[in-house]
Amino acid sequence: MAKYICNLCGYVYDEALGDEDAGVKPGTLWKDVPDDYTCPVCGAGKDQFEKQ
């Protein structure tokens, strides 16, 4: 499982952990995260994340 980092604030989305507060279950691959997903820390769009 991969990790993706927000280029604006450094928040890390970990595919193994998901983001349950945003409705993204653990084990959800980045490609399967909804396109309208935003960083829970700074609100940046999914396009502002890059693979770590």
Side-chain angles (χ1 to χ4, degrees):
M1 304 233 87
K3 295 180 182 179
Y4 291 80
I5 188 165
C6 176
N7 290 323
L8 299 181
C9 74
Y11 169 79
V12 175
Y13 173 81
D14 185 334
E15 292 178 333
L17 301 177
D19 183 356
E20 292 197 83
D21 290 339
V24 182
K25 295 181 180 183
T28 302
L29 299 177
W30 185 246
K31 68 179 183 72
D32 297 326
V33 172
D35 290 336
D36 63 352
Y37 177 79
T38 58
C39 176
V41 175
C42 72
K46 188 176 172 183
D47 62 333
Q48 294 297 315
F49 284 76
E50 71 179 51
K51 191 171 185 178
Q52 237 181 348

